[in-house]
Amino acid sequence: AQIVEMIHVASLLHDDVIDKSPLRRGAASAPAAFGNKLSVLAGDFLLGRTSAALSRLGENEVVELIASVIANLVEGEILQLKAVHGEDLGVEDVKVPNVGQNNWNIYLQKSYLKTASLMAKGARAAVVLGGCKEGEPWKEIAYAYGRNLGIAFQVSF
């Protein structure tokens, strides 16, 4: 849970810089209060500490799950920049349909990458660390629960 929350906070710090957000939950965002440079460095610091904490767990499946969350966060941010802000990032791998074409699917994909991936993979990692045996359904159940919770959270906002 601590590792998941550290990644979450790092993603918020980076997101506020990218989105130029003056507020976070009704208070000054970190970039507004401390500047972009310190906000990015704080996010990077948290990701570095997260990597160290992950390595101490000694569970390769969990390390791979959580490392993939960080990649998903970046993919989601790129998708959002291209789809929502219409920015040309010179990125060929991210294919975004034109406006009016699959907007809901794009929104769901972005919501998964930026929010639900962390919840889904964090829940799955907790089950793995709890001793789930191979062949038991709990990993998939935990993943589905976290994914649906993350998407519901984004849709409700």
Side-chain angles (χ1 to χ4, degrees):
Q2 180 183 18
I3 290 169
V4 167
E5 186 56 25
M6 289 167 66
I7 292 171
H8 178 235
V9 172
S11 75
L12 296 177
L13 288 164
H14 289 151
D15 193 55
D16 285 347
V17 170
I18 292 167
D19 293 342
K20 299 176 183 158
S21 300
L23 298 174
R24 170 66 60 186
R25 298 183 183 133
S29 66
F34 306 107
N36 287 340
K37 291 177 183 177
L38 284 178
S39 296
V40 169
L41 290 172
D44 290 352
F45 176 81
L46 285 171
L47 292 175
R49 296 301 299 240
T50 297
S51 298
L54 271 173
S55 71
R56 287 192 297 274
L57 292 177
E59 181 62 59
N60 287 338
E61 183 177 355
V62 172
V63 172
E64 289 178 28
L65 277 168
I66 302 305
S68 71
V69 167
I70 296 169
N72 289 158
L73 290 167
V74 174
E75 292 164 346
E77 196 62 51
I78 290 170
L79 182 62
Q80 179 174 309
L81 285 170
K82 288 187 70 102
V84 175
H85 302 294
E87 294 187 25
D88 180 15
L89 302 174
V91 178
E92 300 300 324
D93 293 343
V94 180
K95 298 194 179 14
V96 179
N98 294 329
V99 174
Q101 186 181 37
N102 282 332
N103 285 337
W104 179 245
N105 289 335
I106 294 168
Y107 178 77
L108 289 176
Q109 183 181 10
K110 182 219 38 122
S111 295
Y112 170 77
L113 292 168
K114 289 187 66 179
T115 302
S117 169
L118 180 62
M119 294 177 147
K121 293 175 181 180
R124 183 179 176 113
V127 170
V128 170
L129 291 171
C132 181
K133 305 285 188 258
E134 197 60 43
E136 293 179 339
W138 308 116
K139 290 183 203 179
E140 287 75 23
I141 291 169
Y143 178 88
Y145 172 78
R147 181 185 180 284
N148 291 331
L149 183 65
I151 300 244
F153 175 80
Q154 282 304 115
V155 170
S156 69
F157 257 88

